[in-house]
Amino acid sequence: MPALQLPWLNKVFYAEVTGTILRHRAQHMLTSSRPRILSGQKANGFPSGKSSGSKKQKQHQRIRKEKPQQHNFTHRLQAAALKSHSGNISCLDFSCNGKYLATCAEDRTVRIWSTKDFMQREHRSMRANVELDHATLVRFSPDCRAFIVWLANGDTLRVFKMTKREDGGYTFTATPEDFPKKHKAPVINIGIANTGKFIMTVSSDTTVLIWSLKGQVLFTINTNQMNNTHAAISPCSRFVASCGFTPDVKVWEVCFGKKGDFQEVVRAFELKGHSAAVHAFAFSNDSRRMASVSKDGTWKLWDTDVEYKKQQDPYLLRTGRFEEASTMRCLLALSPDAQVLALATGSSIHLYNTRRGEKEECFERVHAECIADLSFDITGRFLASCGDRAVRLFHNTAGHRAVVEEMQGHLKRASNDSTRQRLQQQLTQAQDVLRSLGALKK
C-alpha cells in the first residue's frame, strides 16, 4: 500500500510543533542545570536583601501587635490607676477582709491586687489564667482563699483556689470540674454569701439560682419581673434581692437550719415607690439600708431594718433626682455607711450625699468605654470603677464630708467629756483628710 501523503499544510504544522517542543526542551535543560536560588538567598548562598513587599508586611504585623493607647484621664481626686490588664475589665470585687481587689478582663486573666499598695507608685498584682476562656464576673470567697468566676464562652461557674507558696507568693488552681450549665439566658451577676453557705447566679430572663458550694442547685427563684437587670446577696447573707422591668425591688430570705442545712427561700419584703423599671440597687455594709435607681429619673434610700415577718414595710428615707437614669443604663454603688451614693452612666460618675440628697462630685469621661462596674472598698475611703483596661480609684471626699457633718451634730449633743473628745478626734481626722485633698469646704 502506498505511503500516506500529507498535504503541504500538515507538513508546515508538523514542523512548527516539532520546533516548539525542541525549544522548550532546550530551555528546560538550561534552567535545570543552574543552581536553585531559595527565597531569601542570593546566588552565592548569602541572604538577599528584603523585598519591599516583605518590609510592608512586617510593618503591618508590627502595627497590629502594638497595644492601643491607654485612655488618658486625670483628676485631683484620683488616688490611683491600676493598669496591668491588656484587655477591657468587666468586673471588680473587694475581699471581705479589705486586703485585696480582684479584677477580671478579656485578656483571659484574673488579677488580685493588694489594697495597701493603692497609694504607692507601684501597684503589685498576682495573675490567674483562665484557660481557653475569659471571665466576665468575679467574686471572692468569704475566707479570701478562693474566688469564683463566670466564664464568657463556657456559660458556667469555675472555682479557683488560692495557695500560698514558700516564697510568699500565691498560686491559683481551678477545681477539676466547672458547675453544670443551668441558665438559659446570659448571666448578669454572681455572688457568694459571707457565711459561705450558698452561691447566687442571676440571668437576664427571670431566673435567680441558689447553689451549694459543690455546684448543686438548691432553689430556683422566678422573679416575675419580665426581665432581670440586677440581683445581689446582702452582706448579712440572709437576703437575695433582684430588680428588673417592674418598678420595685423584690427581696427574699434564704433560710438554713441550725445545722447549716438548706431549708427554703421565702419572700421577705419589697421596695415600692418607683414609677418605672429599676436599673440597680445596693445594700449598706450592715444590710440596714438599701439604695435604688430607676428609669423614672430618681434614686431612693431605704431603711430596711424592719420586722418584715410582721408585715412591716421598709421606710423611704430620701428621694433624689438623677435625670440621666431616664435615658441611659445606670450603675449604683452605696458606701458601707450608706452616707454616699455613686451613680454611673456612660463613662461618668456622680456622687451624692444621701443625708441631704445633693450632688457632691462628678467625674466625667473616666474610661474610654462605658463603665462596667462600680464599688466602694469596705472602709469607704475609695471608690473603684472599671470600663476599659484600667481600674480607677477615687478618694471618697463626699464620705469624709458626711463624717464631718455627722460628728459636728454629735458634738452638739455630747453629754460627757470622753464622748466629746472621741468625736472631736474623728472630726479632726476627717477635716485633715479633706484639707490634704484640697476639698475642705470653708
Side-chain angles (χ1 to χ4, degrees), residues 152-415:
N153 301 319
D155 289 328
T156 186
L157 276 175
R158 179 173 293 174
V159 181
F160 284 82
K161 293 184 178 180
M162 302 167 59
T163 307
K164 197 167 187 177
R165 301 194 305 258
E166 293 181 359
D167 60 0
Y170 285 85
T171 58
F172 305 94
T173 306
T175 53
E177 294 184 1
D178 298 333
F179 277 35
K181 297 181 181 181
K182 296 293 183 179
H183 283 283
K184 298 180 181 179
V187 166
I188 56 177
N189 200 20
I190 61 176
I192 307 179
N194 286 338
T195 56
K197 291 182 178 179
F198 68 94
I199 291 172
M200 179 222 68
T201 58
V202 55
S203 51
S204 60
D205 47 14
T206 61
T207 305
V208 177
L209 296 182
I210 306 299
W211 303 74
S212 71
L213 298 187
K214 295 182 179 180
Q216 176 188 1
V217 176
L218 302 175
F219 197 86
T220 300
I221 301 173
N222 182 0
T223 63
N224 293 313
Q225 293 173 313
M226 296 291 287
N227 65 276
N228 300 324
T229 55
H230 185 60
I233 304 173
S234 64
C236 67
S237 299
R238 289 180 62 186
F239 306 114
V240 167
S242 75
C243 64
F245 183 77
T246 58
D248 51 12
V249 178
K250 297 180 179 181
V251 183
W252 291 265
E253 182 180 6
V254 184
C255 304
F256 287 83
K258 293 182 179 179
K259 295 182 180 180
D261 54 316
F262 171 77
Q263 291 185 330
E264 61 180 346
V265 176
V266 296
R267 180 72 68 86
F269 55 87
E270 295 182 6
L271 306 182
K272 296 181 178 180
H274 288 293
S275 60
V278 178
H279 288 293
F281 65 86
F283 290 92
S284 64
N285 199 44
D286 58 7
S287 303
R288 298 172 62 184
R289 297 286 187 271
M290 288 182 69
S292 58
V293 62
S294 166
K295 288 187 72 174
D296 62 12
T298 68
W299 60 263
K300 295 181 183 293
L301 182 70
W302 310 82
D303 180 356
T304 54
D305 187 19
V306 296
E307 296 185 44
Y308 56 90
K309 292 183 179 180
K310 296 181 179 180
Q311 308 303 315
Q312 187 177 5
D313 294 325
Y315 298 102
L316 178 61
L317 299 176
R318 177 75 59 187
T319 297
R321 296 296 305 175
F322 187 62
E323 296 295 342
E324 290 89 337
S326 62
T327 57
M328 300 178 66
R329 173 178 173 265
C330 185
L331 299 179
L332 179 151
L334 186 63
S335 64
D337 59 5
Q339 298 273 26
V340 182
L341 179 67
L343 298 172
T345 54
S347 60
S348 298
I349 302 172
H350 310 263
L351 297 185
Y352 285 83
N353 179 301
T354 58
R355 178 178 295 183
R356 291 181 278 102
E358 297 176 1
K359 185 187 290 188
E360 295 248 347
E361 303 287 353
C362 180
F363 310 116
E364 296 183 346
R365 293 183 291 277
V366 176
H367 296 278
E369 309 287 341
C370 289
I371 293 172
D373 204 0
L374 193 68
S375 178
F376 286 94
D377 76 315
I378 65 167
T379 66
R381 291 176 57 202
F382 301 107
L383 173 68
S385 69
C386 63
D388 44 28
R389 292 179 290 121
V391 174
R392 303 206 179 273
L393 297 157
F394 297 92
H395 293 286
N396 182 15
T397 53
H400 293 299
R401 293 193 193 102
V403 170
V404 169
E405 294 175 12
E406 186 178 15
M407 294 303 106
Q408 288 174 340
H410 289 332
L411 272 172
K412 295 178 180 178
R413 298 187 297 270
S415 58

Side-chain angles (χ1 to χ4, degrees), residues 6-19:
L6 294 175
W8 176 81
L9 182 63
N10 287 351
K11 289 181 180 181
V12 174
F13 175 77
Y14 178 79
E16 287 182 354
V17 171
T18 305

Side-chain angles (χ1 to χ4, degrees), residues 69-220:
Q69 289 186 353
Q70 191 72 270
H71 176 62
N72 187 23
F73 172 83
T74 57
H75 196 281
R76 61 184 178 83
L77 296 182
Q78 181 178 235
L82 314 180
K83 298 182 179 181
S84 292
H85 279 291
S86 60
N88 283 351
I89 304 168
S90 57
C91 184
L92 52 85
D93 186 51
F94 285 98
S95 61
C96 296
N97 60 11
K99 293 182 178 180
Y100 307 109
L101 170 67
T103 56
C104 63
E106 295 175 353
D107 60 8
R108 295 185 175 183
T109 68
V110 174
R111 289 193 175 270
I112 310 297
W113 310 80
S114 173
T115 56
K116 67 180 181 180
D117 293 339
F118 283 174
M119 299 305 294
Q120 306 297 324
R121 295 186 64 181
E122 297 285 333
H123 302 119
R124 295 177 296 170
S125 68
M126 299 171 287
R127 186 181 70 184
N129 296 320
V130 182
E131 298 295 336
L132 305 176
D133 211 327
H134 73 272
T136 58
L137 298 163
V138 60
R139 294 288 180 260
F140 272 111
S141 65
D143 61 4
C144 305
R145 296 178 181 176
F147 60 85
I148 61 173
V149 299
W150 185 262
L151 300 178
N153 301 319
D155 289 328
T156 186
L157 276 175
R158 179 173 293 174
V159 181
F160 284 82
K161 293 184 178 180
M162 302 167 59
T163 307
K164 197 167 187 177
R165 301 194 305 258
E166 293 181 359
D167 60 0
Y170 285 85
T171 58
F172 305 94
T173 306
T175 53
E177 294 184 1
D178 298 333
F179 277 35
K181 297 181 181 181
K182 296 293 183 179
H183 283 283
K184 298 180 181 179
V187 166
I188 56 177
N189 200 20
I190 61 176
I192 307 179
N194 286 338
T195 56
K197 291 182 178 179
F198 68 94
I199 291 172
M200 179 222 68
T201 58
V202 55
S203 51
S204 60
D205 47 14
T206 61
T207 305
V208 177
L209 296 182
I210 306 299
W211 303 74
S212 71
L213 298 187
K214 295 182 179 180
Q216 176 188 1
V217 176
L218 302 175
F219 197 86
T220 300

